[in-house]
Every structure is written in C-alpha cells, then in structure tokens.
Amino acid sequence: MIPIICQEPILRFAPSPNGRLHLGHALSAMTNADMAKAMHGRLLLRMEDIDVLRCTPDFERSILEDLHWLAIDWQQPVRRQSEHFAFYRAALDELIARELVYPAFLTRGEVKAKVAAVEDRGEIWRRDPDGAPLYPTEERHLDPSTRQQRIAAADRYAWRLNMDKALAEIRSAQAGALCWSETGDGEKGQIVADPAAWGDVVLWRSDAPSSYHLSVTLDDAAQGITHVVRGLDLYHATSVHRLLQALLGLPAPTYHHHRLLLGPDGRKLSKSNGDTALSTLREGGAISADIRRLVGL
Ligand code: GLU
C-alpha cells in the first residue's frame, strides 16, 4: 500500500514590531487564524525585527496585547528574527561561496543621480514592482582585488543577488518556469514568478543585517510553514521568495495574498496613521467582534 503523507497545515502571522498594529494587521491576523482553524492547522507568530534600530520591545509588547485582545491563539514559542542572524548569515555565506551575490557599494544618492542622468536623456530606467529604480548592475563584474580594496575602504556596503546569474542557475537546474500556487484575493492558481522584475535585490546590509527577503524565506522553511497568508502588497515579493527557495533548496509553501484595507485617502493603511491603530480602538472600548466587522470578516 502506498502511504498517504498528510502534512499538517502550519501558518504564521509575521508582524514587524516597528510601530503599532492597525486594522490591516487585524485583517491579516484574523485571516491567518480563521484559515488555520478551518484547515485544522497550527498558527505560529514571528516577530520580524531584523531592523534592530526601529523595532523595540515596547512595540512587541503592544502587538502581543493587541493579539490577545483580538483572541488570536498561536502556538509558542514566538520566533524573533533578531535571535537568528547567524542562521541567515550561513545562507548568505553559501550564496557568497557560489558567487551568486556581490558586494554593492553605491549609495542611494549615487543610484538616484545615475537614474536621473539616464532619464534626463529621455531614456527609460527600469523600476521594480514597488516603483523603485532597479540597482545598476555594473558592480557584478568588479575584479576580486578591486572588490577587496573597496570593501576595506567602504563604511558600509550591501550584498546583492546577481539576478541574471541566479536565474541562469535555476534555468539549468529545473525544467519549466518557476511558479507558485496562489489561493488569495488577487489572481489565483499557478502564478509564474518574475524575480527579474526586482533586479539585483539586497540580501544583506551592513546597517540592518539580513534583508526581509532572505530572512522571511529562511524562516518560512525553518518553521515548516505550509501556507503563507499575508497582504496583497507582498504579492510580487513572492517572486523573489520563490527564487531564493529554489536556489537554497527550500520547500515552497502555498501563498494566499489577501485584500488590503485602504484609508480615506485610498492608500494602504500605515503604522503612522493613528486612527486605525488597534490600541486606540481598544482604548475606545471596541471588542474583537467589532474589529472583525470593521475589517469585513
Ligand atoms: N513583516 C512583514 C510586515 O509586517 C510581513 C511579512 C510577511 O508576512 O511575509 O509587513
């Protein structure tokens, strides 16, 4: 008889403790909890606090209070990304050894000036799905001794993925396109990933070790996440996550990108927008059922 292996669904809510949670986070946490319950799975909580300057224990405490008040249940322990830098570094070191990343020295101002010079000539400089200009690719090919000299002289530099090299490696290792399985509120089904749209993404910075892309991909695998449930604002980032999974031999979860809540100005809610902060609503006497209604669940 062929054994049927049923993987237990494992979901995660992964806020960044760099501000107070708002209604958009409540929608995300509640959608995660509802889906985990419907699938008889587990919900985990991960604090995405790689930005050690902006993330604080006070914000973490306020997130935990909000989640308790919303009656969200998660399985202990909470994973804190700031406790796993060595784990992320080991993956970066592997990519360095495989020459898939390179040290990148251009400052934001230098990139801006290059882009402006090209655009002033009426030429197009490609932008990523978030609208930021792609990083210039000229440092991909610095010779090793120049690279060493620049590292020694640099105040700070980042490690960036050589997107062309990474894609060439994937193309030679797997037949067919890199895809993900999507069940969310946007396009559904098998989605073809387009990591090239992001150019040479940052995987490690000297001021905030590790990047969102690297740590989220490694943590989803380390925590055995089977279903990633998060807002549609991260839909396109999934292309980068799929590429990193393929490069590092990690499993691909199913993705569910849910609708976003918009403010009166038609823009996605932000942590600086005080009126929708969950703590403000809580102090005003709202209960979990009110929040559920407010976020349209
Ligand atoms: N930490 C991210 C945020 O707060 C979410 C990352 C994710 O769910 O992949 O927006």
Side-chain angles (χ1 to χ4, degrees), residues 29-273:
M30 286 174 154
T31 305
N32 263 289
D34 290 356
M35 286 181 66
K37 194 165 166 204
M39 291 191 276
H40 303 287
R42 285 191 277 148
L43 177 64
L44 306 181
L45 178 62
R46 178 160 82 223
M47 291 292 167
E48 300 215 320
D49 58 351
I50 45 174
D51 184 345
V52 288
L53 295 178
R54 290 175 61 226
C55 295
T56 68
D58 276 351
F59 285 135
E60 179 176 319
R61 250 190 311 277
S62 107
I63 289 177
L64 294 174
E65 268 171 39
D66 288 342
L67 294 177
H68 283 303
W69 165 69
L70 290 177
I72 305 286
D73 273 330
W74 63 89
Q75 194 179 62
Q76 299 293 342
V78 174
R79 183 176 175 93
R80 275 180 204 85
Q81 291 190 323
S82 56
E83 293 168 1
H84 298 279
F85 286 132
F87 172 57
Y88 311 136
R89 181 71 210 194
L92 179 76
D93 285 342
E94 179 189 330
L95 296 172
I96 293 174
R98 287 163 63 189
E99 297 183 7
L100 287 170
V101 289
Y102 63 90
F105 303 96
L106 295 176
T107 61
R108 271 205 192 108
E110 286 168 334
V111 174
K112 218 169 145 185
K114 272 179 190 285
V115 174
V118 169
E119 289 181 341
D120 285 351
R121 293 200 300 268
E123 291 166 27
I124 288 176
W125 188 286
R126 280 179 54 214
R127 292 181 179 254
D128 71 23
D130 286 345
L134 298 197
Y135 190 78
T137 55
E138 68 230 21
E139 294 165 323
R140 285 176 178 175
H141 308 293
L142 284 185
D143 64 82
S145 73
T146 313
R147 223 170 234 175
Q148 279 320 316
Q149 278 166 16
R150 298 205 45 193
I151 287 179
D155 279 343
R156 48 180 59 181
Y157 61 94
W159 287 97
R160 285 183 177 266
L161 188 67
N162 181 333
M163 186 55 78
D164 286 355
K165 208 166 170 198
L167 289 173
E169 188 159 307
I170 296 306
R171 271 194 296 272
S172 69
Q174 75 168 53
L178 191 63
C179 292
W180 82 82
S181 178
E182 173 70 48
T183 62
D185 295 331
E187 210 184 323
K188 292 185 213 327
Q190 284 302 304
I191 310 293
V192 177
D194 180 20
W198 292 94
D200 290 0
V201 286
V202 174
L203 294 189
W204 196 272
R205 287 182 204 285
S206 26
D207 52 348
S210 195
S211 71
Y212 161 64
H213 294 309
L214 185 62
S215 46
V216 83
T217 305
L218 289 167
D219 282 348
D220 283 338
Q223 293 189 287
I225 303 301
T226 57
H227 295 75
V228 170
V229 177
R230 60 186 178 193
L232 271 166
D233 50 337
L234 291 168
Y235 181 89
H236 292 292
T238 308
S239 287
V240 177
H241 306 166
R242 282 295 296 118
L243 175 61
L244 291 173
Q245 285 156 1
L247 289 172
L248 296 167
L250 305 173
T254 295
Y255 288 86
H256 182 101
H257 292 94
H258 59 72
R259 67 192 158 85
L260 298 175
L261 295 184
L262 304 179
D265 55 359
R267 295 164 62 137
K268 143 176 126 77
L269 298 181
S270 82
K271 282 180 173 143
S272 52
N273 181 341

